[in-house]
Amino acid sequence: MADETVGVVGAGIVGLATAREIALRRPGTRVVVFEKEQRVAEHQTGHNSGVVHAGIYYAPGSLKAELCVRGVSLLREYCQDRGLPYREVGKLVTAVRADELDRMDRLYERAKHNHVPDLRRVSKDEIKELEPHAGGIAALHSPRTAITDYPAIAREFAKDVTDSGGEVRHAFPVTGIAHPTGGVEVASARERVRVDRLILCAGLQSDAVARLAGDRREPRIVPFRGEYMLLRPDRAHLVRGLVYPVPDPRYPFLGVHFTPRVDGTVEVGPNAVLALAREGYRLTDFSPRDLLGLAAHPGTWRMAARHWRTGLKEYRGALSTAAFMKDAGRYVPGVGPADVVRGGAGVRAQALDRDGTLVDDFRIHRAGRVTAGRNAPSPAATASMAIAEHIAGAVFGDA
């Protein structure tokens, strides 16, 4: 349909990339982005570590694997074209114990299947050549893993949308979605806007907004708060690139790691603790509504029964710098509580199925005129432009 209007709920990096893709792919289409905050990239995008993942971790054949690898090439080209920061600092995925070597080897085979470029196994001596202050007995080295500035990219995406004749409507919290004949009506407390199609990229609120549109209740969003430490400026030289642990395959989290930022700082983290508010960036933030929603969902209790020991460990790290740095110090020995200060925090929108399973892959589905993104955690920022292609193809049937 020519000259139609497409609405996108959410001005994070995925929503803006999707709006941009539609505006460029289908000239004449009017795109309107609905954002409850006063600025773009206020939540997950604005609290992102800035890593451009190469595709090492994701199950072959999954959307994450496919869209991450595609997304890297699109993002690299976009940053180069727009003069945005993009630095290939490389990553070590480091085994510090012998019992991690089999997991590391399986990860290597998975990464090869995903066509991760230039990945290789390195020995203990080679680790020291790459990262003189790092520990470990063996590692995978991904030289093409990069860092960038995702909020800056999101702002550039928003500019592309408006330059193409679209609109980003700030201070527009979506309170209702109706389905009049031939369209979709998006409502805030003060205004109603009719669109022909609607795409939901609402991040931490994705399940709530999807329910407004009449979508299925599952999966539910569980917010996990991730805190970061910062290396003191006189210790930042100890880390050249990204230093990660071998991840535990039971969890969709990568563990505490060292991350150089494009501003020259080095982050240590994040941990992963259950947040008591969907937008709870401080440990003391509390939302009765969000907490009751978690308590009422059977998946929460099933998840807790499986993973309570890990949860207790993560909370110890949230309360104690010494506990937080205990694991980190195994990857860069000699770095301890005296070498860091508390940094920022982010909240990850993690989808949870009713049976207590933490959803690993992206989940995006279409129901009539509404397309809903129901799970888009890391590497969604890396994959944002490829996710946008996928969604646009699904919406218009030209994938």
Side-chain angles (χ1 to χ4, degrees):
M1 183 187 301
D3 298 327
E4 63 181 357
T5 299
V6 175
V8 178
V9 177
I13 196 167
V14 173
L16 291 168
T18 301
R20 173 186 179 274
E21 175 68 21
I22 291 170
L24 297 178
R25 180 183 292 213
R26 299 178 71 86
T29 299
R30 181 171 177 263
V31 180
V32 182
V33 180
F34 303 100
E35 169 55 46
K36 70 186 181 71
E37 306 294 354
Q38 296 287 350
R39 297 181 299 179
V40 304
E42 278 289 276
H43 292 291
Q44 290 185 107
T45 304
H47 295 82
N48 192 289
S49 65
V51 177
V52 182
H53 292 281
I56 296 172
Y57 307 104
Y58 315 118
S62 65
L63 271 181
K64 277 190 175 182
E66 173 190 347
L67 299 181
C68 180
V69 173
R70 168 67 176 158
V72 170
S73 62
L74 293 171
L75 197 69
R76 183 193 308 114
E77 182 179 345
Y78 186 82
C79 288
Q80 291 170 347
D81 181 61
R82 301 302 175 94
L84 295 168
Y86 189 98
R87 293 172 48 206
E88 291 184 344
V89 297
K91 175 196 286 186
L92 285 174
V93 181
T94 309
V96 296
R97 302 190 311 266
D99 62 2
E100 294 176 326
L101 293 175
D102 284 345
R103 267 195 282 147
M104 190 188 80
D105 288 340
R106 289 195 296 271
L107 198 62
Y108 178 72
E109 294 303 319
R110 172 175 283 195
K112 282 202 310 181
H113 194 285
N114 292 343
H115 306 291
V116 174
D118 303 326
L119 185 74
R120 65 188 181 99
R121 296 185 180 94
V122 296
S123 66
K124 183 175 182 178
D125 289 340
E126 290 173 302
I127 290 174
K128 291 297 184 184
E129 293 174 8
L130 294 163
E131 289 282 355
H133 300 283
I137 58 176
L140 303 179
H141 182 228
S142 171
R144 302 295 292 276
T145 298
I147 56 175
T148 190
D149 183 341
Y150 285 118
I153 294 170
R155 291 191 292 271
E156 195 71 11
F157 285 168
K159 183 175 183 299
D160 290 343
V161 171
T162 56
D163 287 349
S164 299
E167 181 181 3
V168 179
R169 292 200 176 191
H170 297 284
F172 194 112
V174 175
T175 58
I177 297 172
H179 301 270
T181 301
V184 184
E185 188 177 76
V186 184
S188 72
R190 296 179 297 177
E191 187 178 4
R192 296 177 181 272
V193 179
R194 184 184 174 109
V195 298
D196 296 288
R197 306 173 195 257
L198 185 65
I199 300 166
L200 310 180
C201 300
L204 287 159
Q205 308 295 338
S206 60
D207 56 343
V209 174
R211 288 199 300 274
L212 290 177
D215 195 19
R216 65 191 72 164
R217 296 186 65 83
E218 310 298 332
R220 298 287 291 273
I221 291 298
V222 176
F224 280 92
R225 182 173 180 271
E227 301 168 303
Y228 292 90
M229 300 289 179
L230 290 174
L231 286 184
R232 294 184 183 276
D234 62 335
R235 303 293 277 169
H237 69 281
L238 297 177
V239 178
R240 293 177 176 177
L242 301 151
V243 181
Y244 276 56
V246 177
D248 187 329
R250 294 174 298 172
Y251 306 105
F253 309 108
L254 298 179
V256 170
H257 46 269
F258 290 80
T259 306
R261 301 296 300 262
V262 294
D263 64 3
T265 60
V266 177
E267 288 181 335
V268 187
N271 57 0
V273 300
L274 189 65
L276 302 182
R278 292 196 183 212
E279 296 166 9
Y281 298 105
R282 297 172 301 179
L283 190 61
T284 55
D285 286 343
F286 173 81
S287 165
R289 179 178 179 179
D290 291 346
L291 191 58
L292 285 171
L294 283 173
H297 189 244
T300 303
W301 300 102
R302 291 167 181 152
M303 174 189 69
R306 293 174 191 170
H307 304 304
W308 66 269
R309 289 182 179 86
T310 299
L312 286 177
K313 179 184 175 183
E314 294 292 319
Y315 269 106
R316 281 197 296 270
L319 297 171
S320 165
T321 301
F324 189 101
M325 293 302 296
K326 183 178 179 180
D327 284 342
R330 296 158 63 198
Y331 299 95
V332 182
V335 172
D339 301 306
V340 297
V341 296
R342 287 204 173 264
V347 181
R348 171 189 174 116
Q350 174 61 53
L352 178 72
D353 277 331
R354 194 173 184 84
D355 66 359
T357 301
L358 295 165
V359 179
D360 186 48
D361 204 5
F362 298 147
R363 282 199 187 171
I364 301 162
H365 68 264
R366 178 181 170 188
R369 293 176 177 269
V370 177
T371 301
R374 296 298 299 265
N375 190 53
S378 179
T382 298
S384 56
M385 298 180 77
I387 293 173
E389 289 181 337
H390 179 83
I391 291 175
V395 169
F396 296 106
D398 55 1

